[in-house]
Amino acid sequence: MSHDVVIAGAGPVGLMLACELRLAGSEAVVLEDRPEPNPHAPGVALNGGVVELLEMRGLMDACRADGFEFPMAHFAHIWLDPGQLAGRYPYNFAMAHSRLIHHLTERARSLGVDLRFGHRVRGVTQDADGVDIRVEGPDGESTVRGRYLAGCDGADSAVRQAVGVGFTGNEESFHGTVSDFVAEPDSVLNQHMGAKEYPAGLFAVSPVGPGTVRVLTGEFGVEPPSRDGAPALAEIRAAVHRLAGVEFTGDEPTWSARWFNVTRLAERYRASRVFLAGEAAHTHFPLGGQALSTGMDDAVNLGWKLAADLAGYAPEGLLDTYEAERRPVARRACTTVRAQVALLHPLTELRDVVTELVRFPDVNEYFVRMAGGTDTRISFDDDLPEDAHPLLGRRIPGVAAAVQSVPELAEAWASGRGVLLDLSDDPEDGRLDITGWTDRVSPVRTKPLPGIDAEAVLLRPDGRVVWAARSGQGGDGLAEALRSRFGTPTPA
């Protein structure tokens, strides 16, 4: 039996990709080597880019009970003011990434995704029609066949290694620990909430649940005492004392792990019928949630394109645009995160100057959007022309407000469809003709929305604007945009 798409990895990226495929009517099988959904993940916040995606797919409501809106952001722990962008881009949301995995797992199950836990990828072979994945599971070895395979299995990706894709970059001398502790109200840890920089590195404490705090340490210029095994209480206490001079007592952590300063980028995102996404394709120092937002954007970009190919209406070369669009974004994320690390260590006067600069509204906005993953602009060609509409390649500003105020748009986005958003407030019928594409694109007419300087926009299923009509332009260029992204129209 051959499946549509086999996905290695049931982290946020793999689960999001599986949900995207099912929304578009494609079959998805997820192989995860853990025996159950990951109950622990280091991250404790969703940045604005992730919040936008979850709003679009109707997932934020389920997440709200597990966290709270966090109207702050930082660039290298230099605090910014997202409130200056209020209404245009969402605030960060404080929530443990393990809860995001929980909600995405539940959504995947509700959509009929075949989730197979305890299944480890051991080998990959391809032919002209599909991919055979050798899997070790609870009942021994077996082979799973799919028309396509997506490696969403992390920085040590077995899929990437099996198809021989290079993962170039470097690792700096650094060692970090992350651990969860049950903290009584009078615990010393509760007195050190927040993140702080020290000459030797970083120390942070944050709440992750009732009576539970997460402790993070990061020491620059040191070699890890071990690369394997979870750090125990004595090692964590020693690191906290070296960094911050803080002594704390208590029981062993309920969970702990190590982390490192590694920056790598896959040399290719596609190897014939195999695709890479998330940390299997790019990894960097964890700051500002950019690893998650970049990976989630990988998932929604790849999902609709694979589904279009499987349904038979993908324009020629559509699958190749995945790497062309996403790899430059990951390369930039690696660059901007490395810049932040340079501001974190060593602590120099340059950090003081950048702190002064972020007081300027334009600089604040630039860094808020960079750190939040909302500044990405996809270039559909080698270069956008100088007179290109400023919305092309971007998501519309005010995604959350649009979801709340336009039910038809919320419904179309939640179903994973493309959208023709008519903002002209003109009741004339037939002005924007999408006959033949309504099986893939939903027409939505509404009054003008704040921040969208266009009479109409065509949105891909991932929310990117691919066509925008200026005042008086009408439908010029719309049919071409529809064909180039959504294929040949269905005959009447």
Side-chain angles (χ1 to χ4, degrees):
M1 175 182 179
S2 180
H3 306 282
D4 285 344
V5 182
V6 179
I7 300 167
V13 177
L15 291 168
M16 190 71 178
L17 175 57
C19 292
E20 293 292 291
L21 290 163
R22 289 300 299 137
L23 286 175
S26 297
E27 182 194 16
V29 177
V30 178
L31 308 174
E32 169 56 51
D33 60 3
R34 292 185 179 88
E36 61 183 11
N38 187 6
H40 301 290
V44 293
L46 314 179
N47 68 17
V50 176
V51 173
E52 279 189 341
L53 288 177
L54 297 178
E55 290 279 16
M56 286 173 55
R57 293 299 186 254
L59 285 159
M60 256 327 279
D61 286 345
C63 293
R64 287 192 173 92
D66 288 322
F68 53 91
E69 195 173 73
F70 188 65
M72 297 182 71
H74 71 85
F75 184 81
H77 292 179
I78 295 170
W79 292 101
L80 310 169
D81 181 10
Q84 296 182 23
L85 284 68
R88 288 179 288 160
Y89 300 97
Y91 292 142
N92 292 347
F93 191 81
M95 184 180 80
H97 288 186
S98 58
R99 295 305 298 167
L100 175 61
I101 291 171
H102 166 79
H103 291 300
L104 288 172
T105 300
E106 292 302 301
R107 173 58 64 89
R109 284 174 171 152
S110 73
L111 292 171
V113 174
D114 184 354
L115 298 174
R116 302 183 185 182
F117 292 96
H119 286 71
R120 182 185 297 269
V121 173
R122 289 300 192 187
V124 175
T125 57
Q126 304 187 60
D127 56 40
D129 301 314
V131 188
D132 288 315
I133 304 101
R134 184 163 55 87
V135 180
E136 181 183 340
D139 300 321
E141 283 202 358
S142 61
T143 298
V144 179
R145 184 169 175 82
R147 291 177 63 183
Y148 292 104
L149 169 64
C152 307
D153 49 343
D156 296 324
S157 171
V159 171
R160 187 191 64 244
Q161 295 177 54
V163 296
V165 172
F167 203 38
T168 56
N170 69 299
E171 178 173 357
E172 302 290 343
S173 295
F174 176 89
H175 180 244
T177 69
V178 56
S179 49
D180 288 351
F181 289 90
V182 175
E184 300 298 331
D186 59 350
S187 169
V188 170
L189 293 175
N190 287 326
Q191 301 171 22
H192 293 273
M193 286 291 178
K196 191 170 182 182
E197 309 77 45
Y198 295 88
L202 313 171
F203 170 52
V205 181
S206 57
V208 289
T212 304
V213 296
R214 179 156 296 171
V215 176
L216 179 144
T217 67
E219 296 177 87
F220 291 96
V222 302
E223 293 303 318
S226 173
R227 301 197 68 86
D228 302 310
L233 175 62
E235 183 181 338
I236 297 164
R237 289 181 61 189
V240 171
H241 186 264
R242 284 194 301 270
L243 286 164
V246 173
E247 294 277 7
F248 73 95
T249 59
D251 297 328
E252 289 285 337
T254 58
W255 167 78
S256 64
R258 304 180 189 279
W259 58 292
F260 311 97
N261 183 9
V262 180
T263 302
R264 298 193 188 282
L265 180 64
E267 294 176 352
R268 292 176 290 151
Y269 275 30
R270 180 182 186 183
S272 189
R273 290 183 169 270
V274 178
F275 295 82
L276 303 174
E279 289 198 300
H282 45 80
T283 187
H284 52 67
F285 194 88
L287 269 178
Q290 288 195 63
L292 179 63
S293 59
T294 306
M296 294 281 277
D297 259 326
D298 290 345
V300 296
N301 186 296
L302 180 59
W304 73 271
K305 293 173 180 177
L306 282 173
D309 181 89
L310 291 162
Y313 62 78
E316 184 178 355
L318 182 66
L319 290 179
D320 290 329
T321 67
Y322 169 64
E323 177 178 323
E325 293 178 1
R326 295 305 306 163
R327 193 171 184 274
V329 174
R331 184 172 57 240
R332 183 169 185 268
C334 289
T335 298
T336 60
V337 169
R338 290 188 64 158
Q340 293 184 67
V341 173
L343 287 172
L344 285 167
H345 183 81
L347 301 176
T348 66
E349 290 81 359
L350 178 59
R351 182 179 179 84
D352 298 331
V353 173
V354 175
T355 302
E356 293 178 6
L357 286 173
V358 299
R359 298 172 187 166
F360 293 92
D362 287 349
V363 177
N364 176 73
E365 177 171 354
Y366 180 85
F367 283 129
V368 166
R369 296 188 61 205
M370 176 191 291
T374 60
D375 66 336
T376 301
R377 185 181 194 185
I378 298 296
S379 180
F380 303 119
D381 302 303
D382 291 337
D383 292 294
L384 288 167
E386 290 185 4
D387 62 347
H389 196 286
L391 285 176
L392 285 179
R394 304 186 188 277
R395 290 198 180 94
I396 60 172
V399 166
V403 165
Q404 295 164 11
S405 63
V406 187
E408 298 85 358
L409 176 60
E411 181 180 354
W413 263 341
S415 66
R417 293 167 59 83
V419 176
L420 176 64
L421 186 60
D422 185 347
L423 302 156
S424 65
D425 208 16
D426 185 346
E428 180 183 349
D429 291 327
R431 189 178 65 88
L432 300 174
D433 185 11
I434 61 170
T435 302
W437 286 284
T438 52
D439 58 334
R440 295 155 245 173
V441 180
S442 295
V444 175
R445 176 176 291 158
T446 186
K447 62 184 180 181
L449 295 174
I452 305 178
D453 184 19
E455 289 193 344
V457 292
L458 177 64
L459 308 171
R460 303 188 317 189
D462 60 357
R464 300 287 172 186
V465 177
V466 295
W467 173 84
R470 302 178 190 275
S471 178
Q473 180 179 337
D476 292 351
L478 175 58
E480 180 182 352
L482 286 162
R483 286 180 183 274
S484 65
R485 273 79 187 187
F486 297 97
T488 304
T490 303

